[in-house]
Amino acid sequence: MRTASAQVSPPPSTEQTGKARTLIARLLGNLEKVIRGKRESLELVLCCVAAGGHVLLEDVPGTGKTTLAKALALSIGGTFKRVQFTPDLLPTDIVGTSLFNPQDGSFRFKAGPIFANVLIADEINRASPRTQSALLEGLSEQQVTVDGETRSLPSPFLCIATQNPVEFHGTYPLPEASLDRFAAQLSLGYPPEAEERALLTELRGSRHPVTELETVCTLDEVVALQRAVEEVRMEGSVADYLLRVVHATRSHASVRLGVSTRGALLYARMARARALASGRDFVLPEDLKAMAVPVLTHRLVLDTRARYAGTDKQALTRDIVSAVPLPR
């Protein structure tokens, strides 16, 4: 939290804003080579990248979730790791462990798959809460602590977690503390019919299109993009509007637990990322309205009556936001 004497970062220059928008457009064009007809979802994922946040993909199998993570890692020239979450998975299978060397009596740290630029936690809700919690420190602080020693994760670091919304046998629902770590939750869904038909006619042989993708930016450019997002201005009236939306989620009659302070901070960062992707160095209320459903919905915990009544959380989020007056 800034004190009264803290210096406010200057807004990004017009040149920086243009570079950021061009970079996001390059990444978007590259991803669309393998993920067809899902521009809106891809733009949201790239906003998460720019904001330094993480993504929770809730979708049925076979819709391109792993392909998206691989394509993103290739596009930024980063390392990619995948963990298939299962009931017998242990926390050390994610963060790593210390191995004993009997020859000299020393221990050597073997890094786990979380030490990557892009990590996909596939079917995260199939692992026990103990194993799920191994991700929490990395998602929040970009570091992990093993055997009392803290190690930093690569920069940038993005986790894309997936879960199947249909199959619940042998799963463990993600607790609120885990859900709150993800900047946005979204669903890719099936591609439009025309795009799916094009896939059937174009894909021949065993080579996957993702293997032919080229790197379109460097990791340093992604880090610079994240720094530029932090410098996007949010005027006092817009910040007040954000807080009114957040407070409305906490006081709504159908909501038992509203958006946390961490959620409010991520909401602001995602709005800044959208503004920068649109070529602006300032946030508009429209940015907050556009980001409300993917950023806020998964943070809401419904009360018992609303839950058993089958309340649509996305519709509820839209109603809450629409009830808050826009700033003049």
Side-chain angles (χ1 to χ4, degrees):
M1 183 178 295
R2 290 193 179 100
T3 61
S5 60
Q7 294 184 351
V8 179
S9 300
S13 64
T14 304
E15 182 181 0
Q16 287 176 312
T17 303
K19 286 182 178 180
R21 187 178 186 182
T22 301
L23 175 60
I24 292 175
R26 287 207 312 266
L27 288 170
L28 179 62
N30 214 41
L31 294 179
E32 284 189 311
K33 293 178 181 179
V34 293
I35 305 295
R36 304 286 190 88
K38 296 296 176 182
R39 172 171 284 247
E40 186 176 345
S41 297
L42 295 179
E43 288 175 341
L44 184 56
V45 170
L46 291 177
C47 282
C48 287
V49 173
H54 308 284
V55 184
L56 179 61
L57 288 177
E58 187 173 69
D59 220 332
V60 295
T63 52
K65 300 183 291 294
T66 303
T67 299
L68 170 60
K70 286 182 178 179
L72 181 60
L74 287 170
S75 297
I76 65 176
T79 55
F80 169 79
K81 296 289 179 65
R82 175 183 179 180
V83 179
Q84 184 66 46
F85 278 61
T86 55
D88 60 346
L89 194 73
L90 298 176
T92 52
D93 295 326
I94 299 172
V95 300
T97 187
S98 295
L99 300 178
F100 179 68
N101 186 349
Q103 295 180 349
D104 56 11
S106 63
F107 285 89
R108 176 179 60 85
F109 178 70
K110 182 181 179 182
I114 196 172
F115 287 86
N117 296 116
V118 179
L119 169 71
I120 182 165
D122 209 3
E123 294 189 300
I124 187 175
N125 55 334
R126 289 201 174 277
S128 66
R130 176 192 177 197
T131 302
Q132 292 177 14
S133 66
L135 286 173
L136 296 185
E137 185 181 11
L139 297 183
S140 296
E141 304 170 46
Q142 203 168 327
Q143 65 180 30
V144 295
T145 302
V146 182
D147 295 334
E149 184 175 348
T150 300
R151 294 174 170 85
S152 298
L153 298 179
S155 185
F157 169 66
L158 171 71
C159 176
I160 298 179
T162 73
Q163 58 180 3
N164 186 344
V166 178
E167 179 59 61
F168 295 107
H169 181 70
T171 62
Y172 301 85
L174 286 177
E176 285 71 27
S178 297
L179 288 171
D180 204 34
R181 260 71 173 187
F182 291 96
Q185 179 180 2
L186 67 146
S187 171
L188 289 177
Y190 297 117
E193 184 177 349
E195 297 291 351
E196 197 164 21
R197 184 179 185 280
L199 286 174
L200 293 175
T201 57
E202 293 174 10
L203 285 181
R204 299 176 181 176
S206 58
R207 290 183 61 83
H208 196 283
V210 74
T211 61
E212 301 176 1
L213 283 185
E214 297 180 355
T215 299
V216 296
C217 73
T218 64
L219 296 177
D220 289 338
E221 287 180 301
V222 176
V223 173
L225 174 65
Q226 294 175 346
R227 290 173 180 166
V229 167
E230 295 174 356
E231 297 171 356
V232 173
R233 291 178 290 122
M234 180 178 289
E235 300 295 339
S237 60
V238 180
D240 290 339
Y241 173 68
L242 183 153
L243 287 175
R244 288 198 298 270
V245 172
V246 169
H247 291 166
T249 66
R250 300 172 183 172
S251 59
H252 196 278
S254 298
V255 178
R256 180 167 61 87
L257 184 65
V259 177
S260 67
T261 303
R262 180 196 291 117
L265 292 171
L266 285 170
Y267 191 22
R269 281 162 55 186
M270 289 291 287
R272 287 187 168 97
R274 185 181 187 272
L276 195 62
S278 302
R280 287 181 276 107
D281 63 354
F282 56 91
V283 177
L284 293 175
E286 287 73 14
D287 297 317
L288 293 169
K289 292 185 70 174
M291 288 295 172
V293 170
V295 176
L296 303 183
T297 301
H298 65 285
R299 305 178 196 280
L300 304 183
V301 179
L302 302 180
D303 69 356
T304 304
R305 180 179 299 178
R307 189 169 65 252
Y308 283 104
T311 300
D312 187 330
K313 290 174 66 174
Q314 291 192 1
L316 178 62
T317 302
R318 294 190 187 95
D319 291 342
I320 291 174
V321 174
S322 61
V324 178
L326 291 170
R328 294 183 178 179

